[in-house]
Amino acid sequence: MRKKKNRLFTIVSVLLVLVLVIGAYFYVSYVNKKKQEAEEKKSSSASVTVTNFDKNKITKIDIKHDDVHLVLEKVKDKWIVNGINNPLYFDQDKIDDIAFSCAQMTAEKVADTHPKDLKKYGLDNPKSIVEATFSDGKKVTFYLGSETPITSTYYLMKKGDPKVYVVWTNHAENFTIKPQKLLSVKIPEIDTQNITYVKLVRKGQPTIEIKKVDEKNSKENEWKYYVRLWNLVQPYSQPVGVSSDKFSEFIENVPNFSPEDIVGEDVYNPKYGLQSPRIELIVKDNKNTLHLFVGNNADDSTVYCKMADSKVVFTMSTYKTDFMNTVKPFDLIEKFAYIVNIDYVDKIEIFTKEKKHTLILDKKLIKKATSEEETDEYKYNFQADGRKIDEDTFKKFYQEIIGLLIDGENDKKPTGTPEVTMKFYLVNKKVDVMEYIPYNDDFYMVVRNGKSDFVIAKEQVQKVLKDLEDLVAGKYKPPEN
């Protein structure tokens, strides 16, 4: 009985020891696994310092890759490229970024501490060799290898360091940069609230040229007469007022200009189409001038461009330039056949084949304007063919005269006898003559001082003549708005 108890005790003891051993094994394995995972996590999250220098002390960067040899040198705090001493010609920020890669290089990890075979890292024949020289004469050299199996990272070595690093793609891009990517494109900022001049030249389309009215140098303040801020001076035979709303819609596209990609300096390459650009745009504000040339399409979504004062060719998205292709002069102008401020008119004579009517706008100045925000105040004495007309009634009829709106462009010479003539005698002794000559059964040619660019529906003009007869007869009823 004692032997059986001893045997049972022995078996239980062995089993207990076995359980303890197995438990200890699994515990140690678990601890080691967690420790390994923690080390791997720490390794993957922590960056590795490759270089740690002051970027501003780099004076020269020598880059060799493929058939490219770039020498970047700092002269008086500005980078020059391959001896071309024109810092404004190059993108200083981009070169500074290359210098940063040289001075403050960090790697994702170390791929190999003592590599035996450089070929598997692409370092037996590096993609690029970059040497940075510092102001104290010290140099650091990098060798860029192939892309790692994990995209967006590359292998890299540093001279004097046996380790192979894994670095991010931004460093690889800096070390394999093409010369054209260093070129700078400066597109002046234009203040759309202070535009003074616009010229748009296009192949196969009329030139659009707009000038802001020069209030200070305008002859006898004539700009006040015609109630306009800008004049469209091309393509029509005489200046036409520009619609503020339409002009704003057009010009608000200009600040969107920005390069997509730098192509190079070969402006004479016929594929760019910049020797004979299909579009030329000049925009001036009170400080800056933007002068852009647009050439051929680079692809379905971009076009080749250059600035007038630069040989750098770049691409720009077509959606940023399309507005220049589609705008038409007629889209931009005020549609008034003739508009003049009533305060600057002394008399209007209106002729038809049968009659002549005379409107007198006699006025007396009662208060002179004391600032640009104010206008002169007058007391009026209005007459129509000798009949005195009250101020409110006359001004409403006057709105009809200056409210005649053109309907389209005239493609004929202004020949023939006018059916209606309106002569406006202005206070500066100038006389503007508006003639309405038949264009066809439905439209008149609008002829201003002997020149015609537009047509107007006959019914508009005939309505004014009918209301004029009512005005003279004392039966005028202003149209309802």
Side-chain angles (χ1 to χ4, degrees):
M1 188 71 179
R2 183 183 294 269
K3 287 182 178 181
K4 286 183 180 181
K5 285 184 178 181
N6 288 338
R7 188 180 298 124
L8 181 61
F9 177 78
T10 301
I11 292 171
V12 171
S13 298
V14 170
L15 289 173
L16 183 59
V17 170
L18 183 60
V19 168
L20 291 173
V21 170
I22 293 172
Y25 171 78
F26 281 109
Y27 174 76
V28 172
S29 298
Y30 174 78
V31 170
N32 288 337
K33 182 179 180 181
K34 288 297 182 182
K35 183 178 180 181
Q36 184 179 358
E37 287 176 352
E39 289 177 352
E40 288 177 354
K41 183 175 181 181
K42 180 179 179 181
S43 175
S44 63
S45 62
S47 59
V48 180
T49 299
V50 181
T51 56
N52 185 18
F53 302 107
D54 183 354
K55 170 180 72 70
N56 295 318
K57 292 185 177 180
I58 294 179
T59 58
K60 181 179 177 182
I61 304 173
D62 193 292
I63 302 174
K64 297 177 182 177
H65 64 87
D66 301 314
D67 294 328
V68 173
H69 184 193
L70 286 172
V71 179
L72 316 177
E73 295 180 271
K74 184 174 280 189
V75 178
K76 295 181 180 179
D77 295 326
K78 295 292 184 182
W79 291 101
I80 67 173
V81 180
N82 291 351
I84 302 175
N85 193 4
N86 185 358
L88 295 178
Y89 198 53
F90 301 104
D91 189 333
Q92 297 293 309
D93 291 338
K94 184 60 186 175
I95 301 176
D96 270 342
D97 194 44
I98 297 173
F100 184 82
S101 285
C102 296
Q104 297 285 314
M105 171 82 74
T106 57
E108 184 180 4
K109 64 180 180 179
V110 174
D112 199 336
T113 54
H114 290 84
K116 296 180 180 180
D117 182 12
L118 293 179
K119 187 174 183 179
K120 71 177 184 177
Y121 303 116
L123 288 163
D124 58 325
N125 183 22
K127 289 172 65 69
S128 176
I129 300 175
V130 178
E131 180 183 79
T133 303
F134 293 81
S135 55
D136 60 1
K138 184 177 181 179
K139 296 182 179 182
V140 58
T141 304
F142 304 92
Y143 305 97
L144 182 69
S146 58
E147 190 172 9
T148 72
I150 302 173
T151 56
S152 300
T153 56
Y154 285 77
Y155 296 115
L156 176 133
M157 291 187 75
K158 182 180 68 171
K159 187 176 183 179
D161 185 343
K163 294 185 285 296
V164 174
Y165 296 95
V166 174
V167 298
W168 289 281
T169 189
N170 63 303
H171 299 306
E173 289 173 352
N174 283 340
F175 287 177
T176 56
I177 197 163
K178 303 288 187 184
Q180 62 265 30
K181 299 298 183 183
L182 294 178
L183 297 173
S184 177
V185 174
K186 301 294 183 184
I187 299 180
E189 292 186 9
I190 295 295
D191 181 359
T192 57
Q193 302 302 311
N194 289 290
I195 299 296
T196 60
Y197 180 82
V198 175
K199 187 175 184 180
L200 178 61
V201 183
R202 301 165 294 176
K203 285 186 176 180
Q205 295 192 62
T207 294
I208 293 174
E209 186 175 11
I210 298 171
K211 293 181 179 180
K212 187 176 182 181
V213 174
D214 188 347
E215 298 178 4
K216 292 183 179 179
N217 298 317
S218 177
K219 185 179 180 181
E220 297 180 8
N221 287 328
E222 198 169 278
W223 63 273
K224 294 181 179 180
Y225 289 45
Y226 302 116
V227 197
R228 59 181 65 159
L229 294 176
W230 294 279
N231 277 323
L232 182 76
V233 297
Q234 284 197 76
Y236 300 123
S237 62
Q238 53 193 322
V240 184
V242 175
S243 165
S244 296
D245 290 342
K246 295 298 182 182
F247 183 64
S248 295
E249 289 176 13
F250 171 79
I251 210 67
E252 70 183 4
N253 292 282
V254 172
N256 295 331
F257 289 160
S258 60
E260 294 297 317
D261 196 17
I262 306 297
V263 176
E265 302 175 83
D266 187 10
V267 295
Y268 301 109
N269 190 324
K271 79 173 184 177
Y272 301 146
L274 290 168
Q275 280 186 282
S276 179
R278 60 186 179 88
I279 297 176
E280 177 185 6
L281 177 68
I282 303 172
V283 181
K284 298 179 181 180
D285 63 14
N286 52 3
K287 292 182 180 179
N288 298 318
T289 297
L290 182 151
H291 194 170
L292 174 74
F293 292 109
V294 180
N296 298 332
N297 280 53
D299 52 40
D300 291 340
S301 61
T302 59
V303 291
Y304 294 113
C305 302
K306 71 176 288 292
M307 304 305 295
D309 60 352
S310 171
K311 293 191 293 185
V312 178
V313 180
F314 60 95
T315 58
M316 189 154 57
S317 295
T318 52
Y319 80 86
K320 296 177 181 177
T321 61
D322 281 345
F323 75 99
M324 293 186 284
N325 294 313
T326 57
V327 67
K328 294 179 173 55
F330 195 75
D331 296 337
L332 295 173
I333 63 172
E334 293 282 8
K335 300 304 189 290
F336 298 108
Y338 177 79
I339 184 170
V340 62
N341 189 326
I342 193 171
D343 293 335
Y344 299 98
V345 181
D346 281 335
K347 181 175 69 172
I348 304 171
E349 292 178 340
I350 300 177
F351 302 84
T352 65
K353 290 181 179 180
E354 297 82 18
K355 294 182 180 181
K356 172 188 174 183
H357 297 286
T358 302
L359 307 178
I360 301 296
L361 293 78
D362 186 29
K363 50 192 172 293
K364 181 180 179 181
L365 181 65
I366 59 175
K367 184 180 180 182
K368 184 73 175 175
T370 58
S371 68
E372 292 184 359
E373 289 74 24
E374 296 180 352
T375 58
D376 295 339
E377 293 183 16
Y378 297 92
K379 181 179 180 180
Y380 294 94
N381 176 24
F382 295 114
Q383 296 180 33
D385 291 352
R387 175 189 287 271
K388 187 173 182 179
I389 310 295
D390 70 85
E391 181 177 336
D392 184 63
T393 299
F394 189 93
K395 285 186 174 180
K396 287 180 178 177
F397 176 73
Y398 185 80
Q399 289 298 317
E400 283 196 62
I401 296 178
I402 64 172
L404 290 169
L405 301 177
I406 58 176
D407 292 287
E409 295 177 326
N410 179 24
D411 57 359
K412 297 179 181 180
K413 291 183 179 180
T415 57
T417 303
E419 288 189 358
V420 181
T421 300
M422 299 181 184
K423 291 185 178 181
F424 293 80
Y425 295 80
L426 309 184
V427 296
N428 62 357
K429 308 306 179 183
K430 179 180 178 181
V431 180
D432 282 329
V433 180
M434 299 297 299
E435 297 174 302
Y436 297 91
I437 299 174
Y439 176 85
N440 59 23
D441 291 341
D442 299 314
F443 294 93
Y444 287 125
M445 288 184 278
V446 179
V447 184
R448 178 177 177 181
N449 297 328
K451 298 177 180 179
S452 178
D453 296 296
F454 309 107
V455 297
I456 188 171
K458 287 183 177 180
E459 61 182 0
Q460 283 195 69
V461 180
Q462 293 302 321
K463 175 66 168 58
V464 170
L465 294 178
K466 180 183 179 302
D467 287 347
L468 174 58
E469 294 293 339
D470 290 344
L471 182 72
V472 171
K475 300 184 296 183
Y476 174 68
K477 292 183 180 180
E480 295 181 3
N481 294 330

